[in-house]
Amino acid sequence: MKVKVISVLEDNYMYLVIEENTRDAVAVDAAVPKRLLEIIRREDVVLRAILTTHHHCPSCALRDHARGNEELAQLFPGLQVFGADERIGALTHRVTHGQELTFGAIRVRCLFTPCHTSGHMCYFMWEDDSPDAPALFSGDTLFVGGCGQFFEGTAEQMHTNLTQILGTLPEDTKVFCGHECTIRNLKFALKVEPENEAVKKKLAWARQRDDEDLPTVPSTLQEEFLYNPFLRLTEEAVQRFTGRTEPVEVLRTLRSQRDNFKKPKERPNPQAMLAFDWGLFGPFLEKK
């Protein structure tokens, strides 16, 4: 099983998982068809299915995760599109928690993790009798150093997702998340635990990767338990930061604090910047 990490849009990741014996492939969160098709041709594989973690949020500035489904379904007649939410475009198979799928030697277990959206599904993949570590495609539930926002769910749901569903997977599981937000997440983690050496080390590494324009995925669950505050709810430093001790309340407070932590400044409108470059606003800016 080979995983191709594909950076698209502003900070999204989509993935192409290749069954190396048959050269069949499965896409996860096929957001940008043109880019995906380039990788498919380069790898000389056949796309058999799409696994979508969740529908795009109507409030999002960019339609991500599921935005390429309809186009790909037209290009590949008979393409199977899996997901847990009827709002997912071109959906052909609605899956449920614990359901298992097979693509050649690749095994997939569907893990229902509602909160970021009410129909969010993660996908745990492995190959029997393979020495390679399994993979978790966690969408917008678990990030490197963070977790997803609670757009359509509660802290109680996310706590269940992180502690009972994802957190109980094998520790060597590789985590492939839906967005590149590692540096921002780890800056917040450092605020939560200023003395955590694992956070400091991972943040320095992530900055180096960013300088080299390289992805920070995958991490492993074992690593996440060392520096991800959303998986460290019983740690004294995390509880002291939140002023709470009950794990769900610690999580709720952490997410609220993260939502308000150094929000990125809005980028200037590209058309407006061009107008300034061309001097179109000159007459309005001249002193009278």
Side-chain angles (χ1 to χ4, degrees):
M1 185 173 75
K2 176 181 179 182
V3 179
K4 297 292 294 184
V5 178
I6 308 168
S7 300
V8 292
L9 303 176
E10 185 175 349
D11 61 10
N12 276 74
Y13 283 123
M14 63 180 181
Y15 301 97
L16 188 67
V17 185
I18 300 170
E19 211 277 27
E20 296 191 90
N21 291 325
T22 63
R23 304 306 293 170
D24 287 345
V26 177
V28 180
D29 286 349
V32 181
K34 182 179 178 180
R35 181 73 178 123
L36 183 63
L37 290 171
E38 291 173 358
I39 305 298
I40 288 172
R41 284 192 290 267
R42 184 186 308 164
E43 295 292 326
D44 191 25
V45 297
V46 178
L47 182 64
R48 297 297 185 187
I50 297 172
L51 304 180
T52 301
T53 58
H54 61 294
H55 80 296
H56 65 83
C57 304
S59 60
C60 292
L62 291 170
R63 294 177 61 218
D64 57 358
H65 301 286
R67 71 182 274 180
N69 289 5
E70 289 93 342
E71 182 177 340
L72 289 165
Q74 291 178 350
L75 292 172
F76 298 93
L79 182 68
Q80 301 178 90
V81 179
F82 296 86
D85 195 320
E86 62 186 11
R87 294 173 292 184
I88 292 170
L91 186 70
T92 62
H93 295 73
R94 190 167 181 178
V95 292
T96 58
H97 180 67
Q99 183 174 343
E100 294 197 358
L101 311 171
T102 302
F103 302 97
I106 298 173
R107 303 277 300 278
V108 181
R109 182 178 302 134
C110 303
L111 301 174
F112 190 48
T113 54
C115 183
H116 180 72
T117 66
S118 60
H120 195 293
M121 187 71 75
C122 296
Y123 300 98
F124 179 67
M125 291 192 194
W126 75 98
E127 288 183 327
D128 289 334
D129 303 319
S130 172
D132 297 332
L136 171 67
F137 296 90
S138 58
D140 288 2
T141 294
L142 176 64
F143 293 118
V144 180
C147 78
Q149 292 179 274
F150 307 167
F151 287 140
E152 296 181 355
T154 65
E156 287 80 4
Q157 286 178 312
M158 186 59 80
H159 182 260
T160 297
N161 296 339
L162 298 178
T163 62
Q164 298 180 31
I165 299 175
L166 304 186
T168 57
L169 295 173
E171 288 196 341
D172 64 342
T173 298
K174 295 180 179 179
V175 179
F176 295 91
C177 57
H179 291 272
E180 178 57 60
C181 47
T182 301
I183 290 178
R184 293 198 305 273
N185 285 341
L186 292 174
K187 284 181 178 179
F188 176 70
L190 191 60
K191 180 179 180 181
V192 176
E193 294 187 274
E195 304 304 318
N196 187 324
E197 292 301 322
V199 175
K200 295 177 184 178
K201 183 177 179 179
K202 188 70 174 183
L203 178 56
W205 175 85
R207 283 171 166 155
Q208 180 64 38
R209 298 285 288 184
D210 184 62
D211 289 343
E212 298 171 2
D213 198 26
L214 294 172
T216 61
V217 294
S219 63
T220 68
L221 272 181
Q222 185 174 34
E223 293 172 343
E224 293 298 321
F225 283 120
L226 297 177
Y227 54 65
N228 189 329
F230 297 93
L231 292 176
R232 297 171 56 78
L233 304 176
T234 59
E235 294 294 324
E236 181 181 351
V238 178
Q239 294 185 349
R240 185 166 58 247
F241 175 81
T242 61
R244 303 286 189 272
T245 56
E246 200 281 318
V248 172
E249 294 308 315
V250 175
L251 175 60
R252 193 190 316 276
T253 302
L254 273 179
R255 186 62 258 179
S256 177
Q257 292 285 333
R258 176 64 181 88
D259 290 343
N260 294 291
F261 177 72
K262 292 184 178 179
K263 290 185 177 179
K265 295 180 180 179
E266 291 188 7
R267 296 181 178 180
N269 181 283
Q271 288 78 14
M273 294 305 296
L274 282 174
F276 272 111
D277 290 342
W278 294 341
L280 299 182
F281 289 157
F284 301 99
L285 299 176
E286 291 176 357
K287 294 181 180 180
K288 295 183 178 180

